[in-house]
């Protein structure tokens, strides 16, 4: 889960006056339960977009193939069969009413306001996932997207544990 990887850098983001917005396709009730069970503080504010208008506007993919087949092809060597099977099990168990779209791919975007949080908003950096777990390393997002240098690599495997 990519949110876990951002927990160690929350203060660096705050120091850079960077807010994090998480767009959820689930219901508000499901999202609240999800956040309450994270085991760490959410790195940002969660907003709800059950109709996925934000995802369409940002050009994010929605694909059954990318969601079911690509994780096996891409993550088997990295995480092993046990982890990939567990991810599939969790995906199927969580596919309940209010869960949102299981096939929607996400992304990471750095948005800039033209004038002190007013006026035009432009996208300064973007990463669109091709499949679940196609995450850009946090230290690269901070360096490339925000100009925050010197962030130590954060292991997704360790954070997922």
């Amino acid at each position: 889960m990519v949110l876990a990887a951002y927990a160690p850098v929350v203060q660096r983001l705050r120091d850079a006056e960077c807010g994090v917005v998480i767009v959820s396709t689930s219901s508000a009730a499901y999202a609240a339960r999800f956040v309450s069970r994270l085991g760490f503080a959410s790195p940002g504010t969660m907003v709800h977009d059950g109709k996925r208008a934000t995802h369409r506007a940002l050009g994010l993919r929605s694909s059954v193939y990318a969601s079911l087949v690509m994780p096996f092809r891409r993550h088997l060597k990295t995480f092993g069969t046990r982890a990939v099977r567990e991810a599939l099990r969790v995906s199927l168990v969580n596919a309940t009413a209010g869960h949102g779209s299981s096939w929607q791919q996400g992304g990471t975007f750095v948005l800039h306001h033209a004038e002190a949080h007013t006026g035009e908003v432009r996208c300064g950096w973007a990463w669109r996932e091709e499949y679940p777990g196609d995450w850009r390393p946090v230290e690269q997002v901070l360096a490339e997207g925000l100009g925050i240098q010197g962030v130590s690599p954060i292991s997704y495997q360790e954070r997922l544990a």
Side-chain angles (χ1 to χ4, degrees):
M1 156 196 273
V2 76
L3 293 180
Y6 280 86
V9 297
V10 167
Q11 192 56 51
R12 297 284 302 261
L13 293 169
R14 287 184 185 137
D15 291 348
E17 297 181 3
C18 176
V20 175
V21 177
I22 303 149
V23 180
S24 170
T25 62
S26 68
S27 69
Y30 184 91
R33 269 192 321 276
F34 173 83
V35 169
S36 73
R37 296 176 181 164
L38 280 176
F40 56 89
S42 174
T45 302
M46 186 173 294
V47 296
H48 307 283
D49 182 5
K51 296 186 188 235
R52 297 184 289 158
T54 306
H55 290 76
R56 282 191 300 281
L58 293 169
L60 297 172
R61 297 176 54 193
S62 180
S63 166
V64 174
Y65 177 83
S67 295
L68 293 178
V69 176
M70 291 304 290
F72 284 98
R73 293 185 64 202
R74 298 294 183 138
H75 297 309
L76 194 57
K77 289 180 185 174
T78 304
F79 296 107
T81 56
R82 193 176 127 237
V84 173
R85 280 195 318 268
E86 178 63 11
L88 180 58
R89 185 192 71 76
V90 168
S91 294
L92 294 173
V93 167
N94 286 334
T96 58
H99 174 259
S101 173
S102 295
W103 317 128
Q104 181 65 57
Q105 307 312 305
T108 304
F109 300 86
V110 175
L111 305 176
H112 301 280
H113 292 270
E115 301 170 18
H117 304 291
T118 62
E120 181 181 315
V121 176
R122 66 176 177 77
C123 182
W125 186 89
W127 178 260
R128 291 170 179 85
E129 297 173 3
E130 293 292 321
Y131 53 89
D134 181 22
W135 305 319
R136 192 76 163 159
V138 174
E139 64 276 9
Q140 289 181 13
V141 173
L142 271 60
E144 296 170 9
L146 297 166
I148 299 173
Q149 304 297 326
V151 175
S152 299
I154 297 168
S155 167
Y156 286 108
Q157 291 93 331
E158 289 175 17
R159 296 301 304 165
L160 286 169

